[in-house]
Amino acid sequence: RAPSCSGGFPAPQRLAQELHAGALLTHAYSYNFKAWTTMPPKKAAEEPEERELVLGRPSNNLKMGIVGVPNVGKSSFFNVLSRKNIPAENFPFCTIEPNEAIVPLPDPRFNWLVNHYHPRSEKPPTINIHDIAGLVRGASEGAGLGNEFLSHIAAVDGIFHLCRAFEGEEVTHVEGDVNPVRDLEIVEDELLIKDKNLVRNAVESMRKNVERKVGGREKLLEFQSLEKVLAFMEEENKGVRFGSWTTQDIETLNKYQLLTSKEVVYLVNLSKRDYLRMGNKWLPKIQQWVQSRGGGTIIPFSVEFEQEMLDLEMAGEDAVKAYMDENPTHKSMLPRILKTGYQALHLIHFFTCGADEVRGWTIRRGKFAQEAAGVIHSDIMNNFIRAEVFHFKDLKKEGNDEAVQNAGLKRTEGKKYVIKDGDICFFRHNG
């Protein structure tokens, strides 16, 4: 209890004793005074959980783009991912407009939930993928429809940078020979040149107004951030995603959505033979180059092998089983590629579950419960009351919803609760 003041002020010795007791009790409750007062005050406004500010658009509808020089297997890779048939002829600019696919994301948790609830409808979490036509040297200056293709890259949020490390006369190379390190440099350099030009022009256009104090402190901070970003790109010759930026810098960068601010996953397209034996002369050189440019995730795989696996899937489960029984170490890389792309976009998903439907919903990491509700429907967000939440791992451990609740693992959360990957949510609203 708090120190008493009934009957006038207490004696100094008694007051000291009561204050000491209150201090000890407060310490025992981790300094939470409300935890030990007998008459709790009116609930204070809900404090938002802290969430990290990251480079990129705040939207939940984020996309990965498949990028590379021509004829490295981008459209063939896209065909396998999406099960869509688009032109993939052996011609540098066969893909003029970006093609989009919404691809289911492999997740054992979703499969478990479907088997648990036996819903009438099931909708897995997905990732949006765009196939973007090949870039050539000089794209930043407009070569090979470069400006159009760079605008397509600007429209996505992360990049699958695909390079070719297999020989083959039947598939010509726009540069004349196979050299994946050179190809990686061509694309990365073109993106960096484009960003340098954009930021340099922005700095010069703002300089006079900033010197005249037009726009006040806000424009001054933006100008200073842009100068810092330009200096980093010119001195380090690296994309902005590798820089160390303040919150102000990130807010500025997110206004400009620079090409080199996008997360990159490097995909190395091998021949089937090299993939299955995991040996290729270019892999150490590619790794060395990626490390020299700031680092990143490298995934070797084979479009040729993935196409054959797709053909087996089309033939039926028996064909797949027979092949896997005979070749147990031959595994598809697509699940890892999709999951890595998902992580590169800072995406997570939560689930809504019941007899009618089990569905995985995609959101950006760090979203509040009310914002997550808006992914389902804007009315739920606008009329949000609370979220009833428990985690997948608790459901799997306890066995069913009732056991989760009895174990005290089902919680009521407010609108500022930050959704965690794997949360199972039911949103209460008055809409």
Side-chain angles (χ1 to χ4, degrees), residues 18 52 58 63 68 72 96 136 146 184 190 206 209 240 256 261 331 335 338 363 387 399 408:
E18 293 196 6
E52 182 184 4
K63 307 159 191 165
V72 295
I96 300 301
V136 295
L184 290 169
E190 293 300 326
M206 293 175 65
N209 283 337
V240 297
Y256 288 84
S261 70
K331 298 186 183 299
L338 291 171
I363 59 171

Side-chain angles (χ1 to χ4, degrees), residues 113-131:
L113 291 169
V114 169
N115 292 330
H116 178 75
Y117 286 99
H118 303 289
R120 285 182 281 273
S121 171
E122 55 187 80
K123 295 180 180 177
T126 59
I127 181 171
N128 287 26
I129 298 177
H130 283 230
D131 180 26

Side-chain angles (χ1 to χ4, degrees), residues 21-293:
L24 291 176
L25 190 54
T26 302
H27 177 74
Y29 281 87
S30 302
Y31 302 98
N32 182 2
F33 182 82
K34 290 186 289 185
W36 58 275
T37 51
T38 55
M39 295 294 291
K42 187 176 180 180
K43 188 174 180 180
E46 187 179 7
E47 290 293 330
E49 294 187 43
E50 185 176 348
R51 54 179 178 177
E52 182 184 4
L53 184 63
V54 297
L55 289 171
R57 278 181 275 264
S59 169
N60 296 312
N61 185 27
L62 302 180
K63 307 159 191 165
M64 290 293 289
I66 306 171
V67 174
V69 299
N71 295 355
V72 295
K74 297 186 305 300
S75 293
S76 297
F77 172 53
F78 179 83
N79 288 341
V80 173
L81 278 180
S82 66
R83 309 301 198 260
K84 287 178 67 175
N85 292 317
I86 61 167
E89 289 88 0
N90 178 25
F91 189 79
F93 304 108
C94 69
T95 313
I96 300 301
E97 296 294 332
N99 291 270
E100 180 178 5
I102 300 176
V103 182
L105 187 76
D107 189 337
R109 298 175 301 182
F110 176 78
N111 298 334
W112 189 94
L113 291 169
V114 169
N115 292 330
H116 178 75
Y117 286 99
H118 303 289
R120 285 182 281 273
S121 171
E122 55 187 80
K123 295 180 180 177
T126 59
I127 181 171
N128 287 26
I129 298 177
H130 283 230
D131 180 26
I132 298 174
L135 264 72
V136 295
R137 199 186 303 273
S140 59
E141 306 298 328
L145 301 178
N147 287 328
E148 184 177 355
F149 296 155
L150 287 170
S151 72
H152 293 160
I153 296 174
V156 301
D157 303 278
I159 294 171
F160 284 131
H161 189 168
L162 185 63
C163 64
R164 170 184 169 183
F166 66 90
E167 301 288 344
E169 295 181 0
E170 68 281 2
V171 182
T172 60
H173 195 290
V174 71
E175 290 288 327
D177 63 335
V178 172
N179 185 333
V181 172
R182 174 203 59 212
D183 295 348
L184 290 169
E185 283 184 341
I186 288 173
V187 174
E188 295 276 337
D189 288 348
E190 293 300 326
L191 300 185
L192 189 58
I193 291 169
K194 192 72 173 178
D195 280 355
K196 287 178 181 178
N197 290 340
L198 189 153
V199 175
R200 190 179 295 112
N201 291 338
V203 167
E204 292 308 314
S205 67
M206 293 175 65
R207 189 180 301 280
K208 287 185 178 179
N209 283 337
V210 168
E211 290 172 351
R212 296 169 182 167
K213 296 183 170 47
V214 176
R217 178 172 173 77
E218 181 179 346
K219 281 298 179 185
L220 173 62
L221 292 175
E222 180 178 337
F223 177 77
Q224 291 173 339
S225 289
L226 289 175
E227 280 193 317
K228 179 179 175 181
V229 169
L230 181 60
F232 172 82
M233 289 191 291
E234 291 182 333
E235 293 168 10
E236 299 293 331
N237 199 38
K238 293 179 181 177
V240 297
R241 67 184 180 277
F242 297 114
S244 297
W245 310 116
T246 65
T247 299
Q248 173 61 45
D249 297 335
I250 293 174
E251 289 176 353
T252 298
L253 285 166
N254 285 347
K255 289 181 182 179
Y256 288 84
Q257 292 297 315
L258 299 179
L259 301 176
T260 62
S261 70
K262 303 174 191 299
E263 292 293 336
V264 177
V265 178
Y266 296 97
L267 304 180
V268 185
N269 187 10
L270 307 173
S271 67
K272 176 184 174 181
R273 177 177 176 273
D274 284 355
Y275 170 67
L276 294 179
R277 68 187 182 94
M278 271 300 156
N280 182 281
K281 67 178 182 179
W282 289 107
L283 289 176
K285 298 175 183 178
I286 292 170
Q287 183 175 19
Q288 183 179 8
W289 181 87
V290 170
Q291 290 302 319
S292 73
R293 296 295 286 255

